[in-house]
Amino acid sequence: MSSLREAPFKVGGIVEPPYFVNRERELEELAQALRGLSQNYLLLAPRRYGKSSLLHNLKLRLEAEDNLIVPYVNCREIAGYTDFYRITVGAVLQEYERKRKVAGLWKRFQVVFQERILRAARRLEELGGSLREVGQVYLRFREEEVDERALVRATFRFFRDITQEQGLRLVLLLDEFQEVATFNSYLFNVLKKEMDLPSAVRYVFSGSSMGLLSEIFLREQAPLYLMVGKYTMEPLAEEEVVAFVRERFRNAGMTLPKEAAKELHRRCGGIPFYVQKLGLIAFHHALWQRSRTVSPQDIQRAYETMLDELDGEFEVRWLARFSPLQRMILKALASLGEARLRDLAQHIGRKPSDISSSISRLKEMMILQKRTNGTYALVDPVFAAWLARSDAQSRE
Ligand SMILES: Nc1ncnc2c1ncn2[C@@H]1O[C@H](COP(=O)(O)OP(=O)(O)OP(=O)(O)O)[C@@H](O)[C@H]1O
Ligand SMILES: [Mg+2]
């Protein structure tokens, strides 16, 4: 009866096994490289490919390693340099506490943000070492003796100091790193200097906007050009998805025949978020119908429901993110499936040169991809299906 208590799928947010499809190769490659501190990484993938979950599971995998701490920071929480200082120093300290089984350091350190200066300074003296150093800079910042940029320098300096002082390796996971791309470039200049120094600190940057991230890492003039190994995540492979969803249904006391599982994979293009969402909807339908077997037709019906459920979100994306020309391009591609630049241009009655920069932009946004055969297609097949459907409906 476990089926009624716990849903077989989890939609949204970070997932762990058994809700996490292995990603074994990625995890092992990254874990191996990071254990040896061989390099820094930029993890790139479109929305909802499972970047955050991969980072989380990478952290779990490195848990057993002695003297290695792996703090995770979501850069969406960081709106400026004071946040950067507070949130990253906090994440590092809390991981340190967990690893070394000491308590209260971060709590005691936080006096620098609240207490009167003198009292805070005294508390810092008691803490000593790298904490005193980094804390004192914050107090000087509060006294307006130094500016925000000193906080940035002190933060990176602290990462290096604490590893040396405590005999640690530090791998800092910075998720949604494109969010800090809009800061002025000071942070990146300091980061570059830091990454050039010998140290036991490595970074994994992750994000889903090629445009912003390539401004930081990938263009020749970019501040962190050639400083990171680029790691791109692919959708899940068919056999992985098939095995995963069948096991999930079996666990819930239902049967998902192979053909239906393949249909589910195909509809989702292997994008993990959709795999889970479509699986969950199909599961609920089957529960209502008191059916124990899910057919390919059931998957198709569940898919229609999924498009309905995503309607509001896709609508917002559609209206907020794209220019009129980009919309024309996307609509054309959604109905053509895939097309060469020339055919696409012709389809919307423009010259290829008129649309090529819009196409580049859409590629950078990871909305469009160029296939090996030279055609363009939408990255997200569910969004494409929604577009094709709403286009057809508007013509009815
Ligand atoms: N390896 C996986 N196996 C199964 N499902 C997964 C996996 N990775 C992600 N998912 C599914 O996708 C959802 C989104 O995952 P996650 O938040 O990790 O993606 P993301 O790429 O960080 O997304 P975003 O671009 O929105 O930040 C999860 O809630 C889960 O349903
Ligand atoms: Mg994420």
Side-chain angles (χ1 to χ4, degrees):
M1 286 316 280
S2 73
S3 59
L4 295 179
R5 269 182 279 124
E6 206 161 337
F9 297 98
K10 288 225 162 116
V11 186
I14 283 169
V15 288
E16 287 181 14
Y19 298 100
F20 181 81
V21 183
N22 283 333
R23 291 264 188 215
E24 198 42 49
R25 189 180 53 79
E26 290 89 338
L27 282 174
E28 212 28 63
E29 248 177 76
L30 289 167
Q32 185 89 358
L34 291 167
R35 270 188 212 109
L37 300 180
S38 61
Q39 64 173 338
N40 304 290
Y41 281 100
L42 171 62
L43 178 66
L44 270 175
R47 292 279 331 268
R48 293 171 162 180
Y49 267 47
K51 297 172 296 294
S52 301
S53 295
L54 186 74
L55 291 179
H56 176 78
N57 285 276
L58 179 64
K59 180 182 162 80
L60 294 182
R61 178 151 308 200
L62 294 170
E63 204 90 300
E65 235 10 60
D66 281 337
N67 301 322
L68 174 69
I69 58 170
V70 189
Y72 170 92
V73 169
N74 186 340
C75 297
R76 272 193 203 287
E77 292 171 33
I78 297 179
Y81 290 155
T82 51
D83 283 346
F84 178 74
Y85 173 99
R86 189 174 45 81
I87 290 171
T88 59
V89 170
V92 168
L93 260 183
Q94 284 163 294
E95 277 303 299
Y96 171 79
E97 289 183 3
R98 247 164 38 86
K99 191 91 212 182
R100 290 283 166 87
K101 302 196 169 53
V102 290
L105 280 179
W106 171 235
K107 190 151 178 283
R108 284 165 68 199
F109 182 79
Q110 288 185 75
V111 293
V112 303
F113 305 117
Q114 304 134 7
E115 274 293 345
R116 279 178 298 117
I117 301 282
L118 274 178
R119 198 178 142 81
R122 238 179 296 134
R123 289 279 174 276
L124 281 178
E125 286 300 328
E126 288 163 23
L127 284 168
S130 58
L131 282 178
R132 181 184 55 203
E133 296 294 315
V134 71
Q136 276 171 347
V137 177
Y138 202 89
L139 296 184
R140 296 182 61 201
F141 169 72
R142 280 177 57 188
E143 297 270 60
E144 297 181 13
E145 290 168 18
V146 295
D147 66 9
E148 282 193 323
R149 294 184 309 176
L151 293 181
V152 175
R153 293 193 300 275
T155 308
F156 288 113
R157 175 85 198 272
F158 169 67
F159 300 157
R160 217 161 8 96
D161 286 351
I162 191 171
T163 55
Q164 272 177 9
E165 176 185 88
Q166 304 295 331
L168 285 172
R169 288 166 290 164
L170 167 59
V171 172
L172 185 56
L173 307 175
L174 292 168
D175 200 4
E176 308 277 7
F177 195 66
Q178 76 270 353
E179 297 294 313
V180 300
T182 48
F183 289 13
N184 73 35
S185 58
Y186 187 73
L187 185 118
F188 307 117
N189 296 335
V190 180
L191 190 50
K192 161 113 182 34
K193 282 202 198 105
E194 283 295 324
M195 284 158 74
D196 278 333
L197 291 171
S199 81
V201 184
R202 294 294 179 273
Y203 300 90
V204 179
F205 307 98
S206 126
S208 50
S209 163
M210 269 288 272
L212 290 172
L213 290 168
S214 57
E215 294 294 330
I216 309 173
F217 296 102
L218 303 175
R219 291 197 212 295
E220 251 179 85
Q221 300 80 3
L224 298 176
Y225 182 60
L226 294 184
M227 300 292 288
V228 291
K230 187 174 133 193
Y231 203 95
T232 334
M233 284 171 81
E234 301 295 328
L236 298 169
E238 184 188 75
E239 72 245 38
E240 283 179 313
V241 171
V242 168
F244 172 71
V245 292
R246 294 190 76 195
E247 186 280 325
R248 293 281 80 214
F249 273 95
R250 203 176 311 123
N251 192 263
M254 291 185 194
T255 308
L256 182 73
K258 203 165 197 167
E259 282 317 305
K262 283 185 171 175
E263 177 67 8
L264 187 150
H265 170 266
R266 192 180 63 78
R267 295 272 181 168
C268 300
I271 297 176
F273 173 86
Y274 297 132
V275 168
Q276 300 253 14
K277 187 162 175 74
L278 187 51
L280 188 64
I281 293 171
F283 170 73
H284 281 151
H285 283 186
L287 271 189
W288 293 327
Q289 292 161 0
R290 298 178 180 281
S291 146
R292 296 219 157 257
T293 306
V294 178
S295 69
Q297 292 72 37
D298 292 330
I299 296 294
Q300 283 164 28
R301 268 190 294 277
Y303 188 74
E304 290 300 320
T305 306
M306 179 163 84
L307 290 185
D308 293 338
E309 286 185 10
L310 291 168
D311 192 55
E313 187 192 321
F314 282 159
E315 187 76 32
V316 170
R317 190 194 295 188
W318 181 241
L319 294 174
R321 288 187 63 191
F322 306 114
S323 71
L325 182 57
Q326 286 175 337
R327 282 189 216 145
M328 282 170 78
I329 293 169
L330 293 177
K331 259 193 188 162
L333 269 181
S335 76
L336 294 170
E338 56 179 309
R340 289 177 188 286
L341 180 62
R342 198 157 33 85
D343 301 332
L344 186 56
Q346 200 178 27
H347 191 88
I348 59 179
R350 300 285 178 103
K351 290 201 291 274
S353 56
D354 293 342
I355 64 170
S356 61
S357 74
S358 289
I359 290 207
S360 303
R361 182 80 194 99
L362 287 167
K363 256 168 61 190
E364 281 191 345
M365 291 161 79
M366 291 189 163
I367 299 294
L368 281 195
Q369 60 186 0
K370 192 171 187 175
R371 302 209 164 142
T372 41
N373 66 5
T375 62
Y376 290 95
L378 270 86
V379 168
D380 183 334
V382 179
F383 185 52
W386 174 83
L387 258 183
R389 188 178 82 165
S390 42
D391 207 23
Q393 280 167 355
S394 69
R395 266 189 266 107
E396 270 163 16

PDB file of all heavy atoms in Angstrom, residues 13-14 46-53 55 72 74 76 175-176 206-208, ligand 2:
ATOM      1  N   GLY A  13      12.185  21.112  -7.767  1.00  0.00           N
ATOM      2  CA  GLY A  13      13.096  21.077  -6.630  1.00  0.00           C
ATOM      3  C   GLY A  13      14.139  19.988  -6.796  1.00  0.00           C
ATOM      4  O   GLY A  13      14.109  19.199  -7.740  1.00  0.00           O
ATOM      5  N   ILE A  14      15.039  19.969  -5.848  1.00  0.00           N
ATOM      6  CA  ILE A  14      16.162  19.034  -5.907  1.00  0.00           C
ATOM      7  C   ILE A  14      15.701  17.628  -5.558  1.00  0.00           C
ATOM      8  O   ILE A  14      14.922  17.438  -4.633  1.00  0.00           O
ATOM      9  CB  ILE A  14      17.255  19.536  -4.945  1.00  0.00           C
ATOM     10  CG1 ILE A  14      17.999  20.698  -5.610  1.00  0.00           C
ATOM     11  CG2 ILE A  14      18.209  18.428  -4.553  1.00  0.00           C
ATOM     12  CD1 ILE A  14      18.917  21.455  -4.694  1.00  0.00           C
ATOM     13  N   PRO A  46      20.198  23.682 -20.372  1.00  0.00           N
ATOM     14  CA  PRO A  46      18.958  24.458 -20.392  1.00  0.00           C
ATOM     15  C   PRO A  46      18.175  24.263 -19.103  1.00  0.00           C
ATOM     16  O   PRO A  46      18.469  23.367 -18.306  1.00  0.00           O
ATOM     17  CB  PRO A  46      18.193  23.860 -21.572  1.00  0.00           C
ATOM     18  CG  PRO A  46      19.216  23.201 -22.417  1.00  0.00           C
ATOM     19  CD  PRO A  46      20.271  22.716 -21.471  1.00  0.00           C
ATOM     20  N   ARG A  47      17.150  25.087 -18.922  1.00  0.00           N
ATOM     21  CA  ARG A  47      16.289  24.992 -17.747  1.00  0.00           C
ATOM     22  C   ARG A  47      15.803  23.550 -17.554  1.00  0.00           C
ATOM     23  O   ARG A  47      15.471  22.867 -18.512  1.00  0.00           O
ATOM     24  CB  ARG A  47      15.046  25.892 -17.926  1.00  0.00           C
ATOM     25  CG  ARG A  47      15.288  27.380 -17.928  1.00  0.00           C
ATOM     26  CD  ARG A  47      15.417  27.991 -16.544  1.00  0.00           C
ATOM     27  NE  ARG A  47      14.696  27.311 -15.487  1.00  0.00           N
ATOM     28  CZ  ARG A  47      13.469  27.588 -15.099  1.00  0.00           C
ATOM     29  NH1 ARG A  47      12.793  28.551 -15.672  1.00  0.00           N
ATOM     30  NH2 ARG A  47      12.917  26.938 -14.106  1.00  0.00           N
ATOM     31  N   ARG A  48      15.742  23.143 -16.325  1.00  0.00           N
ATOM     32  CA  ARG A  48      15.074  21.903 -15.934  1.00  0.00           C
ATOM     33  C   ARG A  48      15.732  20.619 -16.416  1.00  0.00           C
ATOM     34  O   ARG A  48      15.092  19.592 -16.505  1.00  0.00           O
ATOM     35  CB  ARG A  48      13.624  21.915 -16.423  1.00  0.00           C
ATOM     36  CG  ARG A  48      12.841  22.957 -15.694  1.00  0.00           C
ATOM     37  CD  ARG A  48      11.506  23.142 -16.291  1.00  0.00           C
ATOM     38  NE  ARG A  48      10.637  23.812 -15.340  1.00  0.00           N
ATOM     39  CZ  ARG A  48       9.389  24.115 -15.588  1.00  0.00           C
ATOM     40  NH1 ARG A  48       8.863  23.800 -16.739  1.00  0.00           N
ATOM     41  NH2 ARG A  48       8.668  24.706 -14.686  1.00  0.00           N
ATOM     42  N   TYR A  49      16.995  20.707 -16.739  1.00  0.00           N
ATOM     43  CA  TYR A  49      17.723  19.492 -17.113  1.00  0.00           C
ATOM     44  C   TYR A  49      18.243  18.763 -15.878  1.00  0.00           C
ATOM     45  O   TYR A  49      18.800  17.693 -15.978  1.00  0.00           O
ATOM     46  CB  TYR A  49      18.903  19.853 -18.026  1.00  0.00           C
ATOM     47  CG  TYR A  49      18.585  19.783 -19.496  1.00  0.00           C
ATOM     48  CD1 TYR A  49      17.431  20.350 -20.003  1.00  0.00           C
ATOM     49  CD2 TYR A  49      19.451  19.143 -20.386  1.00  0.00           C
ATOM     50  CE1 TYR A  49      17.141  20.291 -21.352  1.00  0.00           C
ATOM     51  CE2 TYR A  49      19.171  19.084 -21.747  1.00  0.00           C
ATOM     52  CZ  TYR A  49      18.022  19.657 -22.224  1.00  0.00           C
ATOM     53  OH  TYR A  49      17.746  19.590 -23.564  1.00  0.00           O
ATOM     54  N   GLY A  50      18.109  19.414 -14.715  1.00  0.00           N
ATOM     55  CA  GLY A  50      18.563  18.749 -13.499  1.00  0.00           C
ATOM     56  C   GLY A  50      19.934  19.191 -13.032  1.00  0.00           C
ATOM     57  O   GLY A  50      20.665  18.414 -12.424  1.00  0.00           O
ATOM     58  N   LYS A  51      20.263  20.473 -13.249  1.00  0.00           N
ATOM     59  CA  LYS A  51      21.570  20.978 -12.814  1.00  0.00           C
ATOM     60  C   LYS A  51      21.672  20.991 -11.287  1.00  0.00           C
ATOM     61  O   LYS A  51      22.625  20.485 -10.712  1.00  0.00           O
ATOM     62  CB  LYS A  51      21.811  22.413 -13.329  1.00  0.00           C
ATOM     63  CG  LYS A  51      21.861  22.545 -14.830  1.00  0.00           C
ATOM     64  CD  LYS A  51      21.900  23.994 -15.257  1.00  0.00           C
ATOM     65  CE  LYS A  51      20.637  24.767 -14.876  1.00  0.00           C
ATOM     66  NZ  LYS A  51      19.408  24.340 -15.559  1.00  0.00           N
ATOM     67  N   SER A  52      20.655  21.597 -10.662  1.00  0.00           N
ATOM     68  CA  SER A  52      20.703  21.710  -9.194  1.00  0.00           C
ATOM     69  C   SER A  52      20.732  20.324  -8.554  1.00  0.00           C
ATOM     70  O   SER A  52      21.460  20.098  -7.592  1.00  0.00           O
ATOM     71  CB  SER A  52      19.507  22.501  -8.678  1.00  0.00           C
ATOM     72  OG  SER A  52      19.501  23.789  -9.261  1.00  0.00           O
ATOM     73  N   SER A  53      19.946  19.414  -9.106  1.00  0.00           N
ATOM     74  CA  SER A  53      19.934  18.058  -8.554  1.00  0.00           C
ATOM     75  C   SER A  53      21.279  17.372  -8.754  1.00  0.00           C
ATOM     76  O   SER A  53      21.750  16.651  -7.877  1.00  0.00           O
ATOM     77  CB  SER A  53      18.826  17.225  -9.209  1.00  0.00           C
ATOM     78  OG  SER A  53      17.564  17.762  -8.879  1.00  0.00           O
ATOM     79  N   LEU A  55      24.191  18.842  -8.878  1.00  0.00           N
ATOM     80  CA  LEU A  55      25.118  19.434  -7.904  1.00  0.00           C
ATOM     81  C   LEU A  55      24.886  18.829  -6.520  1.00  0.00           C
ATOM     82  O   LEU A  55      25.823  18.475  -5.813  1.00  0.00           O
ATOM     83  CB  LEU A  55      24.942  20.958  -7.835  1.00  0.00           C
ATOM     84  CG  LEU A  55      25.392  21.760  -9.064  1.00  0.00           C
ATOM     85  CD1 LEU A  55      25.137  23.246  -8.860  1.00  0.00           C
ATOM     86  CD2 LEU A  55      26.872  21.521  -9.359  1.00  0.00           C
ATOM     87  N   TYR A  72      27.100  24.537  -0.933  1.00  0.00           N
ATOM     88  CA  TYR A  72      26.242  24.847  -2.080  1.00  0.00           C
ATOM     89  C   TYR A  72      25.616  26.222  -1.875  1.00  0.00           C
ATOM     90  O   TYR A  72      25.079  26.514  -0.809  1.00  0.00           O
ATOM     91  CB  TYR A  72      25.133  23.793  -2.181  1.00  0.00           C
ATOM     92  CG  TYR A  72      24.045  24.133  -3.174  1.00  0.00           C
ATOM     93  CD1 TYR A  72      24.131  23.699  -4.493  1.00  0.00           C
ATOM     94  CD2 TYR A  72      22.932  24.889  -2.792  1.00  0.00           C
ATOM     95  CE1 TYR A  72      23.142  24.010  -5.414  1.00  0.00           C
ATOM     96  CE2 TYR A  72      21.937  25.199  -3.715  1.00  0.00           C
ATOM     97  CZ  TYR A  72      22.038  24.755  -5.018  1.00  0.00           C
ATOM     98  OH  TYR A  72      21.054  25.065  -5.926  1.00  0.00           O
ATOM     99  N   ASN A  74      22.996  29.062  -3.860  1.00  0.00           N
ATOM    100  CA  ASN A  74      22.166  29.448  -4.990  1.00  0.00           C
ATOM    101  C   ASN A  74      22.301  30.956  -5.192  1.00  0.00           C
ATOM    102  O   ASN A  74      21.865  31.748  -4.356  1.00  0.00           O
ATOM    103  CB  ASN A  74      20.711  29.073  -4.714  1.00  0.00           C
ATOM    104  CG  ASN A  74      19.839  29.325  -5.921  1.00  0.00           C
ATOM    105  OD1 ASN A  74      20.198  30.092  -6.824  1.00  0.00           O
ATOM    106  ND2 ASN A  74      18.686  28.685  -5.954  1.00  0.00           N
ATOM    107  N   ARG A  76      20.770  33.010  -6.837  1.00  0.00           N
ATOM    108  CA  ARG A  76      19.538  33.799  -6.864  1.00  0.00           C
ATOM    109  C   ARG A  76      19.327  34.565  -5.561  1.00  0.00           C
ATOM    110  O   ARG A  76      18.616  35.552  -5.527  1.00  0.00           O
ATOM    111  CB  ARG A  76      18.331  32.878  -7.070  1.00  0.00           C
ATOM    112  CG  ARG A  76      18.024  32.638  -8.508  1.00  0.00           C
ATOM    113  CD  ARG A  76      16.667  32.004  -8.698  1.00  0.00           C
ATOM    114  NE  ARG A  76      16.621  31.298  -9.968  1.00  0.00           N
ATOM    115  CZ  ARG A  76      16.551  31.908 -11.146  1.00  0.00           C
ATOM    116  NH1 ARG A  76      16.484  33.222 -11.210  1.00  0.00           N
ATOM    117  NH2 ARG A  76      16.544  31.211 -12.255  1.00  0.00           N
ATOM    118  N   ASP A 175      25.410  27.723  -7.878  1.00  0.00           N
ATOM    119  CA  ASP A 175      24.308  27.436  -8.800  1.00  0.00           C
ATOM    120  C   ASP A 175      23.697  28.750  -9.291  1.00  0.00           C
ATOM    121  O   ASP A 175      23.733  29.757  -8.580  1.00  0.00           O
ATOM    122  CB  ASP A 175      23.254  26.600  -8.046  1.00  0.00           C
ATOM    123  CG  ASP A 175      22.335  25.838  -8.987  1.00  0.00           C
ATOM    124  OD1 ASP A 175      22.540  25.885 -10.215  1.00  0.00           O
ATOM    125  OD2 ASP A 175      21.405  25.177  -8.475  1.00  0.00           O
ATOM    126  N   GLU A 176      23.140  28.732 -10.489  1.00  0.00           N
ATOM    127  CA  GLU A 176      22.502  29.931 -11.073  1.00  0.00           C
ATOM    128  C   GLU A 176      23.485  31.097 -11.123  1.00  0.00           C
ATOM    129  O   GLU A 176      23.133  32.241 -10.815  1.00  0.00           O
ATOM    130  CB  GLU A 176      21.270  30.356 -10.252  1.00  0.00           C
ATOM    131  CG  GLU A 176      20.264  29.251  -9.989  1.00  0.00           C
ATOM    132  CD  GLU A 176      19.304  29.025 -11.142  1.00  0.00           C
ATOM    133  OE1 GLU A 176      19.506  29.644 -12.213  1.00  0.00           O
ATOM    134  OE2 GLU A 176      18.382  28.232 -10.981  1.00  0.00           O
ATOM    135  N   SER A 206      27.287  26.961 -12.133  1.00  0.00           N
ATOM    136  CA  SER A 206      26.285  26.337 -12.982  1.00  0.00           C
ATOM    137  C   SER A 206      25.214  27.338 -13.372  1.00  0.00           C
ATOM    138  O   SER A 206      24.940  28.304 -12.656  1.00  0.00           O
ATOM    139  CB  SER A 206      25.690  25.137 -12.244  1.00  0.00           C
ATOM    140  OG  SER A 206      24.307  25.220 -12.173  1.00  0.00           O
ATOM    141  N   GLY A 207      24.641  27.136 -14.539  1.00  0.00           N
ATOM    142  CA  GLY A 207      23.612  28.051 -14.981  1.00  0.00           C
ATOM    143  C   GLY A 207      22.987  27.636 -16.294  1.00  0.00           C
ATOM    144  O   GLY A 207      23.427  26.686 -16.944  1.00  0.00           O
ATOM    145  N   SER A 208      21.937  28.403 -16.681  1.00  0.00           N
ATOM    146  CA  SER A 208      21.211  28.019 -17.889  1.00  0.00           C
ATOM    147  C   SER A 208      21.093  29.161 -18.888  1.00  0.00           C
ATOM    148  O   SER A 208      20.236  29.134 -19.743  1.00  0.00           O
ATOM    149  CB  SER A 208      19.828  27.503 -17.511  1.00  0.00           C
ATOM    150  OG  SER A 208      19.202  28.418 -16.649  1.00  0.00           O
TER     151      SER A 208
HETATM  152 MG    MG B   2      18.366  24.781 -10.690  1.00  0.00          MG
END
